[in-house]
């Protein structure tokens, strides 16, 4: 599915396997504005993550069947307050102190390491399972400055656009 974040504090899900892009569901009444979202596949379950303007990351564990039961022009679109049926929220987690502008799963990692960036001028390597920052860099207009953490050398910026 494709997810679209909105300033109206909603996230809409669409069936990306169909050219009609049928809407599957919509999460409404979120506490903050969702700015970035990612779908992460794991061996035992899938995750849907989104970040907001307050520096939080919300982590939804997805069951096998979530969202609308059927698609097509006559299908009912599921609308849920803060989550949809088949989603279990295991957050929010405060990662930054300002807008999270982007996050990506570190591809070489065997754990759930996210590289996050924010308007608070930090790029962080964040372990989602442990819920802690592994390392962080302060970024300025001209450079990245290591601030601390034992794994700063593992961040490879050339892998992320």
């Amino acid at each position: 599915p494709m997810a679209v974040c909105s300033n109206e504090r909603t996230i809409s899900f669409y069936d990306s396997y169909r050219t009609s892009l049928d809407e599957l569901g919509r999460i409404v009444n979120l506490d903050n504005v969702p700015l970035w979202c990612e779908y992460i596949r794991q061996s035992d379950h899938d995750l849907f993550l989104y970040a907001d303007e307050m520096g939080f990351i919300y982590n939804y564990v997805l069951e096998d069947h979530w969202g609308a039961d059927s698609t097509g022009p006559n299908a009912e679109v599921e609308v849920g307050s803060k989550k949809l049926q088949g989603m279990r929220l295991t957050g929010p987690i405060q990662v930054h102190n300002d807008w999270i502008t982007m996050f990506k799963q570190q591809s070489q990692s065997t754990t759930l390491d996210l590289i996050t960036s924010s308007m608070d001028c930090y790029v962080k390597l964040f372990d989602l399972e442990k819920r802690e920052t592994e390392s962080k860099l302060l970024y300025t207009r001209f450079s990245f400055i290591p601030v601390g953490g034992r794994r700063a050398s593992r961040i490879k910026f050339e892998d992320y656009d």
Side-chain angles (χ1 to χ4, degrees), residues 18-108:
R18 296 175 178 248
T19 56
S20 61
L21 290 175
D22 296 330
E23 188 174 14
L24 299 173
R26 187 176 326 117
I27 300 174
V28 297
N29 300 328
L30 296 171
D31 293 330
N32 300 313
V33 176
L35 299 173
W36 186 269
C37 61
E38 284 286 324
Y39 178 80
I40 297 176
R41 266 190 201 279
Q42 293 192 298
S43 58
D44 54 344
H45 61 273
D46 295 334
L47 300 175
F48 174 73
L49 307 172
Y50 81 88
D52 69 16
E53 87 277 12
M54 301 301 289
F56 288 94
I57 291 181
Y58 297 78
N59 177 5
Y60 290 94
V61 176
L62 302 178
E63 296 175 2
D64 290 337
H65 301 289
W66 62 272
D69 291 331
S70 61
T71 58
N74 298 326
E76 287 284 327
V77 175
E78 182 181 354
V79 177
S81 182
K82 300 189 180 168
K83 67 177 190 161
L84 297 177
Q85 181 178 356
M87 292 181 157
R88 183 171 39 90
L89 180 63
T90 62
I93 306 161
Q94 179 94 47
V95 179
H96 288 276
N97 295 320
D98 205 342
W99 292 24
I100 295 179
T101 55
M102 181 185 221
F103 63 84
K104 289 283 186 187
Q105 182 180 15
Q106 186 176 9
S107 58
Q108 295 89 6

